[in-house]
Amino acid sequence: MKNEIHLKTASLAAAILAVVMTVLGLGMTALPANAAALTDAEVTLRTESVVSSQWDKVDLTCEWSVPDNSQPGDTFSIQLPPELRWFGVTSFDLQNPDGQTVATATANDSGLVVFTLTDFVAEHPLNVGGTCSFSTQYSVDPGDGETKELSFTVGSSVVRVPVVVEPCTSECGPSIPTSAGKAMWWVDPAQTVLESIFYMPPMPSGTNDVVVTDTPAAGMEIDCSQVTPRVGRVLNDDGNIAEPYDNERYPVILDCTPQRLTATWTGLPRGEHAELYVVTRVTDTALDVYENSGTVSIAGQETPVGAQTRRSSGSGTGNGTPTPSATPTATATPSPSATPTPTPTPTPTLTETPTPTPSPSTATATATPTPTPSPSTTTAAPSASPEPTSSTTSPVLVVPTEIPSEPVAEKPVAEEPTEALATTGARGTAFVFVAAALLAVGSLLAFVGARWSGRRSH
């Protein structure tokens, strides 16, 4: 009875262990190779932009390369310096001339740009590299005119890029507009929100009615909750209306929908300034250019105005070289020089022997008097009888006891890999085989237990 219990317990344990090993093996076969951060990737950066004031755009270009045999999913990164903030779309592809994506780039709010290699490098593991270009904004006051170095962190190294700072030297004070106009710019680095301003010259008459209309083009909608009218006589350093405002003295009437805005002032006095700020939101992110048009009417004189803003986007290129295919070697058909010399079993040949009469037990030619085969000879053949060198010797035909076999070319031995391969989950197959073996053991133990139980019951 105890043996029966032990056999059942052992078979149950073996079956459970087999199931566990099978699950582990199948799980490991599905594990991909581990991605790595390529700290030794090479990146060079440069810019030709000139900075004059805060929020000026700084366009950058780069050249990049990664070590040979880098794997899909491997990454390298560029960290922007604190003087710059990312400006434009937050992701873009780096493609080869055939349109295949070699790597993708993604930027976050902190200015970290991560480049991730695609499956392209699995078939093109050599000479992987390319270019990139993207836009940033100079986020601090540049100060006095000079060349400044910006420090970018690339992997484990620092890349320093000089940028030219040229402050304004003429007409730098507030400019008073002489005609109506419109300007528009991006509000956020991701370029999803635009803001525009309608500006006007000082009111020309003693009393002036002003009507402003704004009509965004396709791909944009007016945010009616963010329309800001201003009236006043004081201008700031940028030439815009500053406090104290006269908004309460001359209130505006707004009529706003996502597709059209109308702002109306009545009775603005001579010398008064009026402005209108309008926020629009992007509804179609696929456009490269966004346009906003409208009109400004002052004392019955209407002026068409408009603004256009382009989307700043990143781009890049990449390419790689496939691994050269192995050149077939001539191992299958051995060359004459590679044919082994049949010294152990020489072919029949006429040789000279210093003994006039051969010994009856002689089965092979003596190594010393036997001529060495020529390197170009592939199969040995009997040679002509040589002239005797001595009058006391005579040629003797020595016949070997065994028929020589043709030489067999040795198969090349595969070299052991010198580098560790990436983890691909191939070990899971071994787990499956072990699990199958354990399952078989458990079944055998269960069968023996059943037979033992049957005998005991009788």
Side-chain angles (χ1 to χ4, degrees), residues 207-295:
T207 179
N208 304 269
D209 294 340
V210 177
V211 179
V212 177
T213 62
D214 186 20
T215 308
M220 305 165 60
E221 286 185 351
I222 297 173
D223 186 347
C224 293
S225 66
Q226 297 195 58
V227 177
T228 305
R230 287 180 182 171
V231 178
R233 291 180 177 270
V234 180
L235 302 181
N236 60 19
D237 292 341
D238 297 326
N240 299 324
I241 299 173
E243 294 181 326
Y245 302 130
D246 294 334
N247 295 343
E248 294 182 0
R249 183 181 301 181
Y250 306 103
V252 68
I253 299 175
L254 298 176
D255 181 11
C256 184
T257 68
Q259 301 303 324
R260 183 179 176 85
L261 167 66
T262 301
T264 304
W265 288 273
T266 303
L268 294 180
R270 186 189 304 273
E272 197 78 15
H273 293 269
E275 293 175 343
L276 183 67
Y277 291 87
V278 182
V279 172
T280 54
R281 299 189 178 277
V282 173
T283 58
D284 185 357
T285 58
L287 299 180
D288 293 328
V289 180
Y290 295 87
E291 297 183 356
N292 199 321
S293 59
T295 60

Side-chain angles (χ1 to χ4, degrees), residues 382-406:
S383 60
S385 301
E387 294 292 333
T389 58
S390 173
S391 60
T392 59
T393 61
S394 61
V396 178
L397 178 64
V398 181
V399 181
T401 57
E402 295 182 1
I403 299 176
S405 59
E406 294 186 1

Side-chain angles (χ1 to χ4, degrees), residues 7 17 39 45 50-51 77 96 103 154 158 216 224 240 254-255 275 278 318 331 343 349 362 375 377 380 401 427 432:
L7 286 173
L17 186 57
T39 57
L45 290 159
V50 177
V51 175
S77 61
N96 72 351
V154 179
V158 175
C224 293
N240 299 324
L254 298 176
D255 181 11
E275 293 175 343
V278 182
T331 54
T343 52
T349 180
T362 302
T377 303
T401 57
R427 297 189 186 92
V432 174

Side-chain angles (χ1 to χ4, degrees), residues 1-295:
M1 186 64 180
K2 289 183 179 180
N3 290 335
E4 179 182 352
I5 294 176
H6 291 324
L7 286 173
K8 288 183 178 181
T9 302
S11 62
L12 179 60
I16 293 175
L17 186 57
V19 173
V20 172
M21 296 291 285
T22 303
V23 173
L24 288 175
L26 294 176
M28 291 191 68
T29 57
L31 289 177
N34 294 327
L38 305 175
T39 57
D40 51 353
E42 296 185 1
V43 179
T44 60
L45 290 159
R46 62 178 58 89
T47 181
E48 296 181 359
S49 298
V50 177
V51 175
S52 297
S53 60
Q54 187 179 13
W55 306 122
D56 279 356
K57 191 166 73 165
V58 179
D59 295 322
L60 291 151
T61 59
C62 85
E63 295 179 0
W64 63 273
S65 64
V66 296
D68 287 348
N69 299 310
S70 296
Q71 298 298 312
D74 289 353
T75 63
F76 64 96
S77 61
I78 300 175
Q79 175 64 59
L80 300 184
E83 295 89 349
L84 300 180
R85 76 169 182 176
W86 185 262
F87 187 66
V89 293
T90 56
S91 63
F92 56 92
D93 294 336
L94 287 70
Q95 298 181 336
N96 72 351
D98 296 330
Q100 296 175 291
T101 300
V102 180
T104 60
T106 303
N108 61 18
D109 294 339
S110 66
L112 179 65
V113 191
V114 178
F115 297 80
T116 305
L117 301 180
T118 67
D119 292 338
F120 176 87
V121 302
E123 298 181 357
H124 305 78
L126 307 179
N127 306 314
V128 177
T131 64
C132 69
S133 61
F134 53 88
S135 296
T136 65
Q137 283 183 314
Y138 206 85
S139 59
V140 298
D141 185 354
D144 297 334
E146 60 182 10
T147 299
K148 294 187 175 180
E149 278 194 344
L150 304 178
S151 297
F152 295 78
T153 302
V154 179
S156 58
S157 60
V158 175
V159 177
R160 293 177 173 83
V161 180
V163 61
V164 177
V165 177
E166 292 182 356
C168 180
T169 56
S170 63
E171 299 181 359
C172 302
S175 58
I176 300 175
T178 58
S179 62
K182 188 176 191 295
M184 185 167 63
W185 59 93
W186 292 107
V187 174
D188 59 332
Q191 298 182 354
T192 61
V193 181
L194 286 155
E195 187 172 12
S196 58
I197 179 176
F198 290 83
Y199 54 85
M200 290 158 261
M203 295 297 106
S205 306
T207 179
N208 304 269
D209 294 340
V210 177
V211 179
V212 177
T213 62
D214 186 20
T215 308
M220 305 165 60
E221 286 185 351
I222 297 173
D223 186 347
C224 293
S225 66
Q226 297 195 58
V227 177
T228 305
R230 287 180 182 171
V231 178
R233 291 180 177 270
V234 180
L235 302 181
N236 60 19
D237 292 341
D238 297 326
N240 299 324
I241 299 173
E243 294 181 326
Y245 302 130
D246 294 334
N247 295 343
E248 294 182 0
R249 183 181 301 181
Y250 306 103
V252 68
I253 299 175
L254 298 176
D255 181 11
C256 184
T257 68
Q259 301 303 324
R260 183 179 176 85
L261 167 66
T262 301
T264 304
W265 288 273
T266 303
L268 294 180
R270 186 189 304 273
E272 197 78 15
H273 293 269
E275 293 175 343
L276 183 67
Y277 291 87
V278 182
V279 172
T280 54
R281 299 189 178 277
V282 173
T283 58
D284 185 357
T285 58
L287 299 180
D288 293 328
V289 180
Y290 295 87
E291 297 183 356
N292 199 321
S293 59
T295 60

